[in-house]
Amino acid sequence: MGLSVIVLAAGEGKRMRSPRPKVLADLAGRPLIAHVLEAAAALQPARVRVVLGHGADAVRAAMPDEVEIRLQPEQRGTGDAVACAIDGIPDDDLVLVLCGDVPLVRPASLQALVDAATAADGALMTVELADPTGYGRILRAPDGALERIVEHKDADADERAIGEINTGLLALPAATLARHVDVLDNDNAQGEYYLTDVIGAVRAAGGRIEAVRPEFEWEVQGVNSPRQLADLERAWQRHLAGQLLDAGVCLRDPGRIDIRGTLTAAADVLIDVGCVFEGTVELGPGVRVGAHCVLRDCRIGAGTTIEPHSQLDGSETGEHCRVGPFARLRPGTVLAGRARVGNFVETKNAAVGMGSKINHLSYIGDAEIGREANIGAGTITCNYDGMRKHRTVIGDGAFIGSDTQLVAPVTVGAGATIGAGSTITHDAPAGQLTFSRSRQRTLSNWVPPSAREED
């Protein structure tokens, strides 16, 4: 038996109050539907079909190439959406139906749903809620078997008192699913074709539907409003923070961290409050990340300290470096071991050698700095001439005085010293002092404007 996946993503999501299709709303740095597709892919299905409707072009543009797109021309309910996607799926496949706005279901829970469906005539994921308002209720037979689902708007008072609800995630054989969606009617409060009616039809035909519970309630929480999206974001971030704590990472406040990608942290890492991690970030042993830092696609070497309010993007540090506070490392920055980039320093496409220091108020772009060099405060590599970028090379042990402009392309030799306040436009020889500075003059006969006679 093969596995096919149908993802329902045609809804408009009016309560989101956004022109963007709901399934493209961002959660943990990615669209809702991207989370769903990643979980589905973990089960290695033969095919994944996504049913689109509202905003189809925008959602289609966000889909990976291997996903098959099916259109639901008119949004007439979940049963109609499945009917738009079922054609051509082999009868002996098991079909896993997922919702594009239920983003955080884990692959392990989906596998449990598939296994239960394989052992019975189908399976449905359910959960018990303290407040089930708005959800379809699970009705069971006297022997406890799952019998059918009644939608909230169609339920009577006794049925609405039931806490077990339908999550919208189910698995059924393709032949069974196709047969029953083909004969659905819309005689209900919403005038829609309910996929949930298939469960009752299978049961009425003598079939057995298993109910499967997820490990975490947030796995099956849907997103219908900005408030629900924010609540789910916090639930997910708390889960990720818990995983870090279990791995031995010290979080100053687990409620104040945001991981919008993949964060890998080794032993004895400390992360202060308000930090954001985007893309793929690796923190080596003993790394310290100060408060309110943003790290995106970075690799941080063992023992390195990132001081508060620093931003690192597409950068890499060696061991025992120090960055910040208020530093910005832009893409292409590579710091060798023990390098320091201090407060209000910006680097871009720069290789900084072992033990070198850029401590204050400087811009270093398109540059290569050797070992044990010192870059004084206010130094600028003037790398852009308005059309092209040019490179600056600073040799080992060089000393660049404060308020220096290095007009690229230019090379400062090893052990060279550049006098403070210089504008360097030609190569500076190794081991020598180079400076360019206007002669200082004092005019003894100068009179302040306030002391001058009026005309």
Side-chain angles (χ1 to χ4, degrees), residues 333-375:
T333 296
V334 179
L335 308 185
R338 297 186 292 101
R340 176 177 172 88
V341 173
N343 51 288
F344 301 104
V345 172
E346 179 180 353
T347 64
K348 187 268 296 179
N349 194 26
V352 181
M354 184 172 291
S356 290
K357 297 179 290 185
I358 315 167
N359 276 331
H360 319 283
L361 302 158
S362 296
Y363 170 72
I364 305 297
D366 296 295
E368 180 180 338
I369 301 175
R371 300 165 59 96
E372 306 297 338
N374 185 85
I375 311 299

Side-chain angles (χ1 to χ4, degrees), residues 432-452:
Q432 299 185 34
L433 169 64
T434 299
F435 65 95
S436 65
R437 187 182 300 161
S438 297
R439 176 177 297 178
Q440 181 173 317
R441 299 174 62 193
T442 300
L443 300 178
S444 59
N445 61 348
W446 179 78
V447 178
S450 59
R452 296 173 187 171

Side-chain angles (χ1 to χ4, degrees), residues 12 27 35 56 75 95 110 183 190 197 238 267 291 330 372 441:
E12 184 175 351
L27 188 146
H35 292 274
Q75 278 68 72
V95 178
L110 294 182
V183 295
Q190 299 186 80
D197 287 347
R238 285 194 298 270
R330 292 169 57 191
E372 306 297 338
R441 299 174 62 193

Side-chain angles (χ1 to χ4, degrees), residues 124-211:
L124 179 74
M125 193 167 292
T126 73
V127 69
E128 191 86 22
L129 296 182
D131 180 9
T133 303
Y135 291 96
R137 306 306 204 277
I138 302 299
L139 303 184
R140 292 182 176 270
D143 63 358
L146 196 155
E147 193 164 60
R148 65 186 180 92
I149 301 168
V150 59
E151 295 298 329
H152 179 85
K153 290 185 178 181
D154 300 297
D156 60 30
D158 289 339
E159 291 167 339
R160 290 186 179 185
I162 296 170
E164 186 180 16
I165 62 98
N166 168 44
T167 67
L169 312 183
L170 59 85
L172 288 167
T176 301
L177 191 57
R179 180 169 64 254
H180 288 295
V181 297
D182 191 47
V183 295
L184 290 175
D185 64 54
N186 63 347
D187 183 18
N188 52 62
Q190 299 186 80
E192 295 183 351
Y193 296 91
Y194 293 155
L195 179 61
T196 50
D197 287 347
V198 170
I199 299 301
V202 172
R203 169 68 175 174
R208 179 170 60 92
I209 301 294
E210 290 290 337

Side-chain angles (χ1 to χ4, degrees), residues 359-440:
N359 276 331
H360 319 283
L361 302 158
S362 296
Y363 170 72
I364 305 297
D366 296 295
E368 180 180 338
I369 301 175
R371 300 165 59 96
E372 306 297 338
N374 185 85
I375 311 299
T379 296
I380 299 172
T381 57
C382 306
N383 56 323
Y384 184 50
D385 64 8
M387 294 182 64
R388 294 176 299 275
K389 300 291 181 67
H390 301 281
R391 195 153 186 83
T392 297
V393 178
I394 299 173
D396 294 346
F399 184 96
I400 311 299
S402 297
D403 196 28
T404 293
Q405 295 85 49
L406 300 168
V407 183
V410 69
T411 297
V412 176
T417 296
I418 305 298
S422 295
T423 298
I424 303 299
T425 58
H426 298 89
D427 291 353
Q432 299 185 34
L433 169 64
T434 299
F435 65 95
S436 65
R437 187 182 300 161
S438 297
R439 176 177 297 178
Q440 181 173 317

